[in-house]
Amino acid sequence: MAKITFNHAELLQILISNELLPKKILRPKVEGDEIHFVVETNLPLLQFVPVSLRYLSYADNNAIFEITVVNSSLNAMIGRLNLLSKLNAPAYVKFDFPKVSVDVNELLKEKNIRGVLIKDIIFNDGEFTIVTCST
C-alpha cells in the first residue's frame, strides 16, 4: 500500500502532461479548490462554455466530480442538450450532469499501469491523498 499526496495545481499538471484532458477542454486553471476551464461545443450560438470542476467523493472505483457552469442560466441548457457527451471522453469517464465520474482503475488499466489499484481518494485541506493497494 502507498499514499500519494498532491494539490489541485499538481493534479492539473499530471492531467495535462499525460494528455488525459479531452481536446475540447481549453484554458484549464486552478482557483481555490476548483479547476476552471472552457468547453468547446462547436455549436453556432454557444461555441464555448466556461465551467468549474470540484471533487466530491470516491466510491466504487469512481472519483466523482461536480461541474458547475459559470453562467447559471446555461445550466438547464447544458443538461437538456447533453453537451458534455460531445466531448468524446474515454469509456472510463461518465457524464450525468452536473456529475462526472471517472473510473480511475479503468484509467490506469487503459494507460497500461499494472500492479496497482486505487483504494481511496481523500480530499482534505486542499490536498488529494490517493491510497493504493497491489493487485
Side-chain angles (χ1 to χ4, degrees), residues 8-9 12 28-37 52-53 70:
H8 279 89
L12 186 55
K29 66 180 178 176
V30 174
E31 287 186 14
D33 287 345
E34 296 179 336
I35 297 175
H36 296 264
F37 52 92
S52 63
L53 186 72
V70 174

Side-chain angles (χ1 to χ4, degrees), residues 92 105-116:
Y92 53 81
N105 289 319
E106 277 300 312
L107 177 139
L108 294 175
K109 186 176 171 183
E110 188 170 303
K111 296 297 177 182
N112 293 318
I113 299 172
R114 294 181 171 83
V116 64

